[in-house]
Amino acid sequence: MKRVILITGTPCVGKTTTAKQIAAKLGAQYINLTDYAKTYGLTLGEDTERKTTIIDEEKMCTKLAQTIETSENSNIIVDGHYAAAVTPTNLVNNVFVLRRNPKELKEFMLKCGFNLAKLNENLSAEILDSCLIEAMQTQQGKVCELDVTGKTVDENVTEILNILNGNKKCFAGVVDWLGLLESEGTLNEYLKV
């Protein structure tokens, strides 16, 4: 039986680094959705204003199902901020939504060279729980939310492996950046919608 694990979250939460390490530790097949979409022509074009590739979600879902079903590997790691939306629910075992405090996230995005519009869009997505909500709506009962703020990738990988092995409980809906920023009086500084 195959085990399909999704690693999702907003940009700069550490999805790719974490997913690659988990894949290495489990000897899993690793799928980065951005690369996968480009490799198999699962795009509809480019959004030049937002500087992003537009994914054909229907084609992506069909191709992912085919790849998962024909894979000879028993563990498959899917990495992408929209992984929960495009991976067929019946094939998914676990979804890990990585969350990062918007203060730390903003620093990471600035270091990566995000323009102001993209930075604000992604900060808003993190504050408003966009990836978590999408995961909980599409992959009910399979979602684990992890606050990765101030943690190393190794710590995050260990936590995920402990959850997968049944040594730690999985929780979702526990991170509240909106409430935190509001209580600190800094919400307007980070939420630009």
Side-chain angles (χ1 to χ4, degrees), residues 4-10 13-20 22-23 30-33 76-84 87 92 94-98 131 144 146 156-157 160 164:
V4 178
I5 302 161
L6 311 184
I7 307 293
T8 187
T10 56
V13 293
K15 292 181 302 296
T16 300
T17 310
T18 300
K20 284 180 176 179
I22 291 168
Y30 169 75
I31 300 171
N32 175 289
L33 289 180
I76 300 168
I77 308 295
V78 180
D79 160 25
H81 70 274
Y82 54 93
T87 310
V92 175
N94 305 90
V95 181
F96 292 94
V97 182
L98 307 187
C131 290
C144 297
L146 302 179
N156 298 327
V157 168
I160 289 170
L164 290 172

PDB file of all heavy atoms in Angstrom, residues 4-10 13-20 22-23 30-33 76-84 87 92 94-98 131 144 146 156-157 160 164:
ATOM      1  N   VAL A   4       1.001   8.462   0.675  1.00  0.00           N
ATOM      2  CA  VAL A   4       1.190   9.750   0.004  1.00  0.00           C
ATOM      3  C   VAL A   4       1.109  10.845   1.059  1.00  0.00           C
ATOM      4  O   VAL A   4       0.110  10.977   1.764  1.00  0.00           O
ATOM      5  CB  VAL A   4       0.141   9.970  -1.103  1.00  0.00           C
ATOM      6  CG1 VAL A   4       0.327  11.333  -1.751  1.00  0.00           C
ATOM      7  CG2 VAL A   4       0.232   8.850  -2.145  1.00  0.00           C
ATOM      8  N   ILE A   5       2.187  11.618   1.151  1.00  0.00           N
ATOM      9  CA  ILE A   5       2.316  12.664   2.159  1.00  0.00           C
ATOM     10  C   ILE A   5       2.467  14.004   1.457  1.00  0.00           C
ATOM     11  O   ILE A   5       3.359  14.170   0.622  1.00  0.00           O
ATOM     12  CB  ILE A   5       3.540  12.393   3.056  1.00  0.00           C
ATOM     13  CG1 ILE A   5       3.407  11.018   3.728  1.00  0.00           C
ATOM     14  CG2 ILE A   5       3.728  13.508   4.091  1.00  0.00           C
ATOM     15  CD1 ILE A   5       4.714  10.455   4.241  1.00  0.00           C
ATOM     16  N   LEU A   6       1.602  14.943   1.800  1.00  0.00           N
ATOM     17  CA  LEU A   6       1.676  16.280   1.228  1.00  0.00           C
ATOM     18  C   LEU A   6       2.352  17.221   2.211  1.00  0.00           C
ATOM     19  O   LEU A   6       2.059  17.186   3.407  1.00  0.00           O
ATOM     20  CB  LEU A   6       0.282  16.823   0.911  1.00  0.00           C
ATOM     21  CG  LEU A   6      -0.674  15.925   0.132  1.00  0.00           C
ATOM     22  CD1 LEU A   6      -1.971  16.676  -0.160  1.00  0.00           C
ATOM     23  CD2 LEU A   6      -0.040  15.401  -1.139  1.00  0.00           C
ATOM     24  N   ILE A   7       3.255  18.057   1.696  1.00  0.00           N
ATOM     25  CA  ILE A   7       3.898  19.105   2.489  1.00  0.00           C
ATOM     26  C   ILE A   7       3.484  20.420   1.844  1.00  0.00           C
ATOM     27  O   ILE A   7       3.810  20.676   0.685  1.00  0.00           O
ATOM     28  CB  ILE A   7       5.435  18.979   2.496  1.00  0.00           C
ATOM     29  CG1 ILE A   7       5.886  17.574   2.918  1.00  0.00           C
ATOM     30  CG2 ILE A   7       6.047  20.061   3.382  1.00  0.00           C
ATOM     31  CD1 ILE A   7       5.600  17.190   4.344  1.00  0.00           C
ATOM     32  N   THR A   8       2.737  21.233   2.585  1.00  0.00           N
ATOM     33  CA  THR A   8       2.200  22.462   2.023  1.00  0.00           C
ATOM     34  C   THR A   8       2.392  23.625   2.994  1.00  0.00           C
ATOM     35  O   THR A   8       2.826  23.435   4.124  1.00  0.00           O
ATOM     36  CB  THR A   8       0.710  22.265   1.631  1.00  0.00           C
ATOM     37  OG1 THR A   8       0.253  23.417   0.932  1.00  0.00           O
ATOM     38  CG2 THR A   8      -0.161  21.992   2.838  1.00  0.00           C
ATOM     39  N   GLY A   9       2.079  24.811   2.517  1.00  0.00           N
ATOM     40  CA  GLY A   9       2.232  26.037   3.293  1.00  0.00           C
ATOM     41  C   GLY A   9       2.600  27.174   2.371  1.00  0.00           C
ATOM     42  O   GLY A   9       2.904  26.950   1.192  1.00  0.00           O
ATOM     43  N   THR A  10       2.575  28.380   2.884  1.00  0.00           N
ATOM     44  CA  THR A  10       2.898  29.543   2.065  1.00  0.00           C
ATOM     45  C   THR A  10       4.389  29.537   1.698  1.00  0.00           C
ATOM     46  O   THR A  10       5.181  28.840   2.326  1.00  0.00           O
ATOM     47  CB  THR A  10       2.547  30.856   2.791  1.00  0.00           C
ATOM     48  OG1 THR A  10       3.211  30.875   4.043  1.00  0.00           O
ATOM     49  CG2 THR A  10       1.063  31.005   3.006  1.00  0.00           C
ATOM     50  N   VAL A  13       8.079  28.987   4.087  1.00  0.00           N
ATOM     51  CA  VAL A  13       7.903  28.304   5.372  1.00  0.00           C
ATOM     52  C   VAL A  13       8.845  27.107   5.499  1.00  0.00           C
ATOM     53  O   VAL A  13       8.966  26.525   6.569  1.00  0.00           O
ATOM     54  CB  VAL A  13       6.439  27.853   5.626  1.00  0.00           C
ATOM     55  CG1 VAL A  13       5.519  29.040   5.793  1.00  0.00           C
ATOM     56  CG2 VAL A  13       5.951  26.897   4.559  1.00  0.00           C
ATOM     57  N   GLY A  14       9.492  26.728   4.401  1.00  0.00           N
ATOM     58  CA  GLY A  14      10.441  25.614   4.440  1.00  0.00           C
ATOM     59  C   GLY A  14       9.920  24.319   3.849  1.00  0.00           C
ATOM     60  O   GLY A  14      10.456  23.247   4.140  1.00  0.00           O
ATOM     61  N   LYS A  15       8.908  24.400   3.007  1.00  0.00           N
ATOM     62  CA  LYS A  15       8.296  23.201   2.428  1.00  0.00           C
ATOM     63  C   LYS A  15       9.298  22.323   1.680  1.00  0.00           C
ATOM     64  O   LYS A  15       9.390  21.128   1.941  1.00  0.00           O
ATOM     65  CB  LYS A  15       7.197  23.579   1.413  1.00  0.00           C
ATOM     66  CG  LYS A  15       5.980  24.216   1.951  1.00  0.00           C
ATOM     67  CD  LYS A  15       4.971  24.506   0.852  1.00  0.00           C
ATOM     68  CE  LYS A  15       5.461  25.388  -0.247  1.00  0.00           C
ATOM     69  NZ  LYS A  15       5.804  26.756   0.133  1.00  0.00           N
ATOM     70  N   THR A  16      10.002  22.917   0.749  1.00  0.00           N
ATOM     71  CA  THR A  16      10.857  22.133  -0.139  1.00  0.00           C
ATOM     72  C   THR A  16      12.004  21.478   0.609  1.00  0.00           C
ATOM     73  O   THR A  16      12.252  20.277   0.442  1.00  0.00           O
ATOM     74  CB  THR A  16      11.365  23.015  -1.295  1.00  0.00           C
ATOM     75  OG1 THR A  16      10.221  23.496  -2.020  1.00  0.00           O
ATOM     76  CG2 THR A  16      12.270  22.245  -2.227  1.00  0.00           C
ATOM     77  N   THR A  17      12.687  22.223   1.443  1.00  0.00           N
ATOM     78  CA  THR A  17      13.800  21.658   2.206  1.00  0.00           C
ATOM     79  C   THR A  17      13.314  20.533   3.109  1.00  0.00           C
ATOM     80  O   THR A  17      13.923  19.459   3.180  1.00  0.00           O
ATOM     81  CB  THR A  17      14.487  22.750   3.050  1.00  0.00           C
ATOM     82  OG1 THR A  17      14.763  23.864   2.209  1.00  0.00           O
ATOM     83  CG2 THR A  17      15.776  22.260   3.664  1.00  0.00           C
ATOM     84  N   THR A  18      12.184  20.766   3.778  1.00  0.00           N
ATOM     85  CA  THR A  18      11.611  19.749   4.669  1.00  0.00           C
ATOM     86  C   THR A  18      11.174  18.528   3.872  1.00  0.00           C
ATOM     87  O   THR A  18      11.486  17.391   4.241  1.00  0.00           O
ATOM     88  CB  THR A  18      10.416  20.347   5.442  1.00  0.00           C
ATOM     89  OG1 THR A  18      10.870  21.470   6.212  1.00  0.00           O
ATOM     90  CG2 THR A  18       9.784  19.322   6.363  1.00  0.00           C
ATOM     91  N   ALA A  19      10.459  18.753   2.777  1.00  0.00           N
ATOM     92  CA  ALA A  19       9.953  17.641   1.961  1.00  0.00           C
ATOM     93  C   ALA A  19      11.087  16.783   1.403  1.00  0.00           C
ATOM     94  O   ALA A  19      11.003  15.550   1.409  1.00  0.00           O
ATOM     95  CB  ALA A  19       9.082  18.186   0.828  1.00  0.00           C
ATOM     96  N   LYS A  20      12.154  17.438   0.943  1.00  0.00           N
ATOM     97  CA  LYS A  20      13.291  16.686   0.399  1.00  0.00           C
ATOM     98  C   LYS A  20      13.954  15.836   1.480  1.00  0.00           C
ATOM     99  O   LYS A  20      14.355  14.690   1.221  1.00  0.00           O
ATOM    100  CB  LYS A  20      14.308  17.639  -0.224  1.00  0.00           C
ATOM    101  CG  LYS A  20      13.874  18.173  -1.572  1.00  0.00           C
ATOM    102  CD  LYS A  20      14.914  19.119  -2.152  1.00  0.00           C
ATOM    103  CE  LYS A  20      14.533  19.579  -3.542  1.00  0.00           C
ATOM    104  NZ  LYS A  20      15.516  20.513  -4.110  1.00  0.00           N
ATOM    105  N   ILE A  22      12.526  14.641   4.232  1.00  0.00           N
ATOM    106  CA  ILE A  22      11.627  13.536   4.576  1.00  0.00           C
ATOM    107  C   ILE A  22      11.693  12.463   3.495  1.00  0.00           C
ATOM    108  O   ILE A  22      11.754  11.271   3.800  1.00  0.00           O
ATOM    109  CB  ILE A  22      10.183  14.039   4.781  1.00  0.00           C
ATOM    110  CG1 ILE A  22      10.117  14.891   6.052  1.00  0.00           C
ATOM    111  CG2 ILE A  22       9.196  12.884   4.873  1.00  0.00           C
ATOM    112  CD1 ILE A  22       8.844  15.666   6.217  1.00  0.00           C
ATOM    113  N   ALA A  23      11.690  12.899   2.240  1.00  0.00           N
ATOM    114  CA  ALA A  23      11.787  11.949   1.136  1.00  0.00           C
ATOM    115  C   ALA A  23      13.068  11.124   1.244  1.00  0.00           C
ATOM    116  O   ALA A  23      13.049   9.905   1.052  1.00  0.00           O
ATOM    117  CB  ALA A  23      11.727  12.683  -0.203  1.00  0.00           C
ATOM    118  N   TYR A  30       9.930  11.910  -4.622  1.00  0.00           N
ATOM    119  CA  TYR A  30       9.687  13.316  -4.306  1.00  0.00           C
ATOM    120  C   TYR A  30       9.123  14.024  -5.523  1.00  0.00           C
ATOM    121  O   TYR A  30       9.666  13.910  -6.621  1.00  0.00           O
ATOM    122  CB  TYR A  30      10.995  13.985  -3.857  1.00  0.00           C
ATOM    123  CG  TYR A  30      10.911  15.485  -3.765  1.00  0.00           C
ATOM    124  CD1 TYR A  30      10.235  16.093  -2.711  1.00  0.00           C
ATOM    125  CD2 TYR A  30      11.487  16.289  -4.741  1.00  0.00           C
ATOM    126  CE1 TYR A  30      10.156  17.479  -2.633  1.00  0.00           C
ATOM    127  CE2 TYR A  30      11.410  17.674  -4.674  1.00  0.00           C
ATOM    128  CZ  TYR A  30      10.744  18.264  -3.614  1.00  0.00           C
ATOM    129  OH  TYR A  30      10.649  19.624  -3.546  1.00  0.00           O
ATOM    130  N   ILE A  31       8.010  14.755  -5.314  1.00  0.00           N
ATOM    131  CA  ILE A  31       7.402  15.525  -6.405  1.00  0.00           C
ATOM    132  C   ILE A  31       7.254  16.971  -5.958  1.00  0.00           C
ATOM    133  O   ILE A  31       6.502  17.264  -5.023  1.00  0.00           O
ATOM    134  CB  ILE A  31       6.013  14.966  -6.795  1.00  0.00           C
ATOM    135  CG1 ILE A  31       6.125  13.514  -7.263  1.00  0.00           C
ATOM    136  CG2 ILE A  31       5.359  15.852  -7.861  1.00  0.00           C
ATOM    137  CD1 ILE A  31       4.797  12.805  -7.463  1.00  0.00           C
ATOM    138  N   ASN A  32       7.985  17.865  -6.643  1.00  0.00           N
ATOM    139  CA  ASN A  32       7.814  19.303  -6.440  1.00  0.00           C
ATOM    140  C   ASN A  32       6.813  19.752  -7.503  1.00  0.00           C
ATOM    141  O   ASN A  32       7.067  19.609  -8.702  1.00  0.00           O
ATOM    142  CB  ASN A  32       9.145  20.041  -6.605  1.00  0.00           C
ATOM    143  CG  ASN A  32       8.983  21.536  -6.515  1.00  0.00           C
ATOM    144  OD1 ASN A  32       8.432  22.159  -7.415  1.00  0.00           O
ATOM    145  ND2 ASN A  32       9.474  22.096  -5.427  1.00  0.00           N
ATOM    146  N   LEU A  33       5.674  20.273  -7.066  1.00  0.00           N
ATOM    147  CA  LEU A  33       4.589  20.569  -8.003  1.00  0.00           C
ATOM    148  C   LEU A  33       4.937  21.613  -9.054  1.00  0.00           C
ATOM    149  O   LEU A  33       4.480  21.513 -10.193  1.00  0.00           O
ATOM    150  CB  LEU A  33       3.334  20.989  -7.240  1.00  0.00           C
ATOM    151  CG  LEU A  33       2.642  19.862  -6.468  1.00  0.00           C
ATOM    152  CD1 LEU A  33       1.411  20.389  -5.753  1.00  0.00           C
ATOM    153  CD2 LEU A  33       2.285  18.700  -7.382  1.00  0.00           C
ATOM    154  N   ILE A  76       5.428   8.460  -1.211  1.00  0.00           N
ATOM    155  CA  ILE A  76       5.492   9.562  -2.165  1.00  0.00           C
ATOM    156  C   ILE A  76       5.278  10.862  -1.401  1.00  0.00           C
ATOM    157  O   ILE A  76       4.310  10.986  -0.642  1.00  0.00           O
ATOM    158  CB  ILE A  76       4.431   9.411  -3.273  1.00  0.00           C
ATOM    159  CG1 ILE A  76       4.676   8.099  -4.038  1.00  0.00           C
ATOM    160  CG2 ILE A  76       4.445  10.611  -4.217  1.00  0.00           C
ATOM    161  CD1 ILE A  76       3.555   7.678  -4.947  1.00  0.00           C
ATOM    162  N   ILE A  77       6.187  11.800  -1.594  1.00  0.00           N
ATOM    163  CA  ILE A  77       6.102  13.120  -0.958  1.00  0.00           C
ATOM    164  C   ILE A  77       5.752  14.137  -2.043  1.00  0.00           C
ATOM    165  O   ILE A  77       6.464  14.240  -3.045  1.00  0.00           O
ATOM    166  CB  ILE A  77       7.441  13.533  -0.300  1.00  0.00           C
ATOM    167  CG1 ILE A  77       7.969  12.443   0.641  1.00  0.00           C
ATOM    168  CG2 ILE A  77       7.305  14.889   0.405  1.00  0.00           C
ATOM    169  CD1 ILE A  77       7.128  12.161   1.839  1.00  0.00           C
ATOM    170  N   VAL A  78       4.671  14.890  -1.841  1.00  0.00           N
ATOM    171  CA  VAL A  78       4.254  15.931  -2.779  1.00  0.00           C
ATOM    172  C   VAL A  78       4.436  17.274  -2.090  1.00  0.00           C
ATOM    173  O   VAL A  78       3.893  17.508  -1.011  1.00  0.00           O
ATOM    174  CB  VAL A  78       2.789  15.739  -3.223  1.00  0.00           C
ATOM    175  CG1 VAL A  78       2.377  16.830  -4.207  1.00  0.00           C
ATOM    176  CG2 VAL A  78       2.590  14.349  -3.845  1.00  0.00           C
ATOM    177  N   ASP A  79       5.192  18.159  -2.727  1.00  0.00           N
ATOM    178  CA  ASP A  79       5.582  19.454  -2.163  1.00  0.00           C
ATOM    179  C   ASP A  79       5.009  20.594  -2.992  1.00  0.00           C
ATOM    180  O   ASP A  79       5.293  20.684  -4.181  1.00  0.00           O
ATOM    181  CB  ASP A  79       7.125  19.491  -2.143  1.00  0.00           C
ATOM    182  CG  ASP A  79       7.734  20.875  -2.050  1.00  0.00           C
ATOM    183  OD1 ASP A  79       7.086  21.806  -1.539  1.00  0.00           O
ATOM    184  OD2 ASP A  79       8.892  21.029  -2.499  1.00  0.00           O
ATOM    185  N   GLY A  80       4.206  21.442  -2.352  1.00  0.00           N
ATOM    186  CA  GLY A  80       3.697  22.618  -3.040  1.00  0.00           C
ATOM    187  C   GLY A  80       2.622  23.316  -2.234  1.00  0.00           C
ATOM    188  O   GLY A  80       1.894  22.682  -1.481  1.00  0.00           O
ATOM    189  N   HIS A  81       2.519  24.625  -2.419  1.00  0.00           N
ATOM    190  CA  HIS A  81       1.539  25.369  -1.616  1.00  0.00           C
ATOM    191  C   HIS A  81       0.101  25.032  -2.000  1.00  0.00           C
ATOM    192  O   HIS A  81      -0.810  25.269  -1.229  1.00  0.00           O
ATOM    193  CB  HIS A  81       1.792  26.891  -1.673  1.00  0.00           C
ATOM    194  CG  HIS A  81       1.504  27.523  -2.989  1.00  0.00           C
ATOM    195  ND1 HIS A  81       2.429  27.559  -4.004  1.00  0.00           N
ATOM    196  CD2 HIS A  81       0.399  28.130  -3.449  1.00  0.00           C
ATOM    197  CE1 HIS A  81       1.896  28.180  -5.040  1.00  0.00           C
ATOM    198  NE2 HIS A  81       0.674  28.533  -4.736  1.00  0.00           N
ATOM    199  N   TYR A  82      -0.116  24.442  -3.153  1.00  0.00           N
ATOM    200  CA  TYR A  82      -1.466  24.046  -3.566  1.00  0.00           C
ATOM    201  C   TYR A  82      -1.605  22.516  -3.633  1.00  0.00           C
ATOM    202  O   TYR A  82      -2.519  21.987  -4.261  1.00  0.00           O
ATOM    203  CB  TYR A  82      -1.828  24.701  -4.911  1.00  0.00           C
ATOM    204  CG  TYR A  82      -0.815  24.449  -6.008  1.00  0.00           C
ATOM    205  CD1 TYR A  82      -0.960  23.387  -6.882  1.00  0.00           C
ATOM    206  CD2 TYR A  82       0.301  25.267  -6.149  1.00  0.00           C
ATOM    207  CE1 TYR A  82      -0.028  23.139  -7.869  1.00  0.00           C
ATOM    208  CE2 TYR A  82       1.237  25.030  -7.143  1.00  0.00           C
ATOM    209  CZ  TYR A  82       1.067  23.968  -8.001  1.00  0.00           C
ATOM    210  OH  TYR A  82       1.997  23.726  -8.975  1.00  0.00           O
ATOM    211  N   ALA A  83      -0.724  21.802  -2.964  1.00  0.00           N
ATOM    212  CA  ALA A  83      -0.710  20.332  -3.005  1.00  0.00           C
ATOM    213  C   ALA A  83      -2.045  19.721  -2.583  1.00  0.00           C
ATOM    214  O   ALA A  83      -2.515  18.758  -3.186  1.00  0.00           O
ATOM    215  CB  ALA A  83       0.423  19.787  -2.136  1.00  0.00           C
ATOM    216  N   ALA A  84      -2.661  20.281  -1.557  1.00  0.00           N
ATOM    217  CA  ALA A  84      -3.925  19.724  -1.059  1.00  0.00           C
ATOM    218  C   ALA A  84      -5.049  19.851  -2.081  1.00  0.00           C
ATOM    219  O   ALA A  84      -5.954  19.014  -2.128  1.00  0.00           O
ATOM    220  CB  ALA A  84      -4.319  20.403   0.247  1.00  0.00           C
ATOM    221  N   THR A  87      -4.033  17.139  -5.368  1.00  0.00           N
ATOM    222  CA  THR A  87      -3.744  15.717  -5.171  1.00  0.00           C
ATOM    223  C   THR A  87      -5.053  15.010  -4.821  1.00  0.00           C
ATOM    224  O   THR A  87      -5.730  15.416  -3.876  1.00  0.00           O
ATOM    225  CB  THR A  87      -2.712  15.510  -4.044  1.00  0.00           C
ATOM    226  OG1 THR A  87      -1.586  16.368  -4.270  1.00  0.00           O
ATOM    227  CG2 THR A  87      -2.249  14.065  -4.000  1.00  0.00           C
ATOM    228  N   VAL A  92      -4.400  10.320  -0.731  1.00  0.00           N
ATOM    229  CA  VAL A  92      -3.590  11.015   0.275  1.00  0.00           C
ATOM    230  C   VAL A  92      -3.755  10.380   1.654  1.00  0.00           C
ATOM    231  O   VAL A  92      -4.864  10.081   2.089  1.00  0.00           O
ATOM    232  CB  VAL A  92      -3.987  12.511   0.343  1.00  0.00           C
ATOM    233  CG1 VAL A  92      -3.250  13.222   1.469  1.00  0.00           C
ATOM    234  CG2 VAL A  92      -3.705  13.188  -0.993  1.00  0.00           C
ATOM    235  N   ASN A  94      -1.514  11.706   4.497  1.00  0.00           N
ATOM    236  CA  ASN A  94      -1.191  12.755   5.470  1.00  0.00           C
ATOM    237  C   ASN A  94      -0.926  14.076   4.760  1.00  0.00           C
ATOM    238  O   ASN A  94      -0.325  14.078   3.686  1.00  0.00           O
ATOM    239  CB  ASN A  94       0.071  12.399   6.273  1.00  0.00           C
ATOM    240  CG  ASN A  94      -0.020  11.075   6.958  1.00  0.00           C
ATOM    241  OD1 ASN A  94       0.351  10.058   6.387  1.00  0.00           O
ATOM    242  ND2 ASN A  94      -0.507  11.071   8.183  1.00  0.00           N
ATOM    243  N   VAL A  95      -1.337  15.163   5.410  1.00  0.00           N
ATOM    244  CA  VAL A  95      -1.047  16.505   4.914  1.00  0.00           C
ATOM    245  C   VAL A  95      -0.413  17.291   6.049  1.00  0.00           C
ATOM    246  O   VAL A  95      -1.001  17.400   7.135  1.00  0.00           O
ATOM    247  CB  VAL A  95      -2.327  17.242   4.450  1.00  0.00           C
ATOM    248  CG1 VAL A  95      -1.978  18.624   3.913  1.00  0.00           C
ATOM    249  CG2 VAL A  95      -3.094  16.426   3.427  1.00  0.00           C
ATOM    250  N   PHE A  96       0.772  17.817   5.804  1.00  0.00           N
ATOM    251  CA  PHE A  96       1.449  18.651   6.795  1.00  0.00           C
ATOM    252  C   PHE A  96       1.473  20.085   6.284  1.00  0.00           C
ATOM    253  O   PHE A  96       2.052  20.357   5.235  1.00  0.00           O
ATOM    254  CB  PHE A  96       2.865  18.144   7.066  1.00  0.00           C
ATOM    255  CG  PHE A  96       2.866  16.816   7.764  1.00  0.00           C
ATOM    256  CD1 PHE A  96       2.946  15.626   7.033  1.00  0.00           C
ATOM    257  CD2 PHE A  96       2.758  16.749   9.143  1.00  0.00           C
ATOM    258  CE1 PHE A  96       2.922  14.409   7.669  1.00  0.00           C
ATOM    259  CE2 PHE A  96       2.731  15.518   9.791  1.00  0.00           C
ATOM    260  CZ  PHE A  96       2.813  14.342   9.053  1.00  0.00           C
ATOM    261  N   VAL A  97       0.808  20.971   7.024  1.00  0.00           N
ATOM    262  CA  VAL A  97       0.769  22.386   6.673  1.00  0.00           C
ATOM    263  C   VAL A  97       1.774  23.095   7.574  1.00  0.00           C
ATOM    264  O   VAL A  97       1.588  23.161   8.793  1.00  0.00           O
ATOM    265  CB  VAL A  97      -0.636  22.994   6.873  1.00  0.00           C
ATOM    266  CG1 VAL A  97      -0.642  24.465   6.449  1.00  0.00           C
ATOM    267  CG2 VAL A  97      -1.686  22.202   6.090  1.00  0.00           C
ATOM    268  N   LEU A  98       2.852  23.581   6.975  1.00  0.00           N
ATOM    269  CA  LEU A  98       3.886  24.281   7.733  1.00  0.00           C
ATOM    270  C   LEU A  98       3.465  25.736   7.888  1.00  0.00           C
ATOM    271  O   LEU A  98       3.046  26.376   6.930  1.00  0.00           O
ATOM    272  CB  LEU A  98       5.229  24.182   7.023  1.00  0.00           C
ATOM    273  CG  LEU A  98       5.708  22.769   6.642  1.00  0.00           C
ATOM    274  CD1 LEU A  98       7.126  22.833   6.094  1.00  0.00           C
ATOM    275  CD2 LEU A  98       5.614  21.808   7.797  1.00  0.00           C
ATOM    276  N   CYS A 131      -3.571  28.237   3.287  1.00  0.00           N
ATOM    277  CA  CYS A 131      -3.151  26.856   2.987  1.00  0.00           C
ATOM    278  C   CYS A 131      -3.804  25.857   3.938  1.00  0.00           C
ATOM    279  O   CYS A 131      -4.193  24.759   3.522  1.00  0.00           O
ATOM    280  CB  CYS A 131      -1.630  26.739   3.031  1.00  0.00           C
ATOM    281  SG  CYS A 131      -0.821  27.590   1.663  1.00  0.00           S
ATOM    282  N   CYS A 144      -2.282  17.925   9.481  1.00  0.00           N
ATOM    283  CA  CYS A 144      -1.495  18.278  10.660  1.00  0.00           C
ATOM    284  C   CYS A 144      -0.907  19.669  10.412  1.00  0.00           C
ATOM    285  O   CYS A 144      -0.323  19.910   9.366  1.00  0.00           O
ATOM    286  CB  CYS A 144      -0.336  17.308  10.870  1.00  0.00           C
ATOM    287  SG  CYS A 144      -0.846  15.625  11.191  1.00  0.00           S
ATOM    288  N   LEU A 146       1.816  22.461  11.625  1.00  0.00           N
ATOM    289  CA  LEU A 146       3.057  22.562  12.397  1.00  0.00           C
ATOM    290  C   LEU A 146       3.571  23.991  12.396  1.00  0.00           C
ATOM    291  O   LEU A 146       3.811  24.563  11.327  1.00  0.00           O
ATOM    292  CB  LEU A 146       4.138  21.664  11.803  1.00  0.00           C
ATOM    293  CG  LEU A 146       3.835  20.175  11.678  1.00  0.00           C
ATOM    294  CD1 LEU A 146       5.009  19.460  11.036  1.00  0.00           C
ATOM    295  CD2 LEU A 146       3.525  19.574  13.024  1.00  0.00           C
ATOM    296  N   ASN A 156      11.872  20.070  12.399  1.00  0.00           N
ATOM    297  CA  ASN A 156      10.587  19.898  11.711  1.00  0.00           C
ATOM    298  C   ASN A 156      10.460  18.499  11.125  1.00  0.00           C
ATOM    299  O   ASN A 156       9.403  17.871  11.216  1.00  0.00           O
ATOM    300  CB  ASN A 156      10.423  20.953  10.622  1.00  0.00           C
ATOM    301  CG  ASN A 156      10.423  22.359  11.194  1.00  0.00           C
ATOM    302  OD1 ASN A 156       9.969  22.592  12.301  1.00  0.00           O
ATOM    303  ND2 ASN A 156      10.954  23.299  10.437  1.00  0.00           N
ATOM    304  N   VAL A 157      11.530  18.009  10.527  1.00  0.00           N
ATOM    305  CA  VAL A 157      11.529  16.663   9.955  1.00  0.00           C
ATOM    306  C   VAL A 157      11.304  15.622  11.049  1.00  0.00           C
ATOM    307  O   VAL A 157      10.489  14.703  10.891  1.00  0.00           O
ATOM    308  CB  VAL A 157      12.841  16.388   9.182  1.00  0.00           C
ATOM    309  CG1 VAL A 157      12.986  14.920   8.826  1.00  0.00           C
ATOM    310  CG2 VAL A 157      12.903  17.258   7.927  1.00  0.00           C
ATOM    311  N   ILE A 160       7.645  15.633  12.084  1.00  0.00           N
ATOM    312  CA  ILE A 160       6.799  14.984  11.078  1.00  0.00           C
ATOM    313  C   ILE A 160       6.967  13.466  11.132  1.00  0.00           C
ATOM    314  O   ILE A 160       5.979  12.721  11.110  1.00  0.00           O
ATOM    315  CB  ILE A 160       7.099  15.536   9.669  1.00  0.00           C
ATOM    316  CG1 ILE A 160       6.580  16.976   9.565  1.00  0.00           C
ATOM    317  CG2 ILE A 160       6.487  14.646   8.583  1.00  0.00           C
ATOM    318  CD1 ILE A 160       7.018  17.724   8.319  1.00  0.00           C
ATOM    319  N   LEU A 164       4.157  10.626  11.801  1.00  0.00           N
ATOM    320  CA  LEU A 164       3.944   9.512  10.868  1.00  0.00           C
ATOM    321  C   LEU A 164       4.098   8.155  11.548  1.00  0.00           C
ATOM    322  O   LEU A 164       3.397   7.199  11.208  1.00  0.00           O
ATOM    323  CB  LEU A 164       4.913   9.619   9.689  1.00  0.00           C
ATOM    324  CG  LEU A 164       4.672  10.765   8.711  1.00  0.00           C
ATOM    325  CD1 LEU A 164       5.816  10.858   7.708  1.00  0.00           C
ATOM    326  CD2 LEU A 164       3.335  10.592   7.983  1.00  0.00           C
TER     327      LEU A 164
END
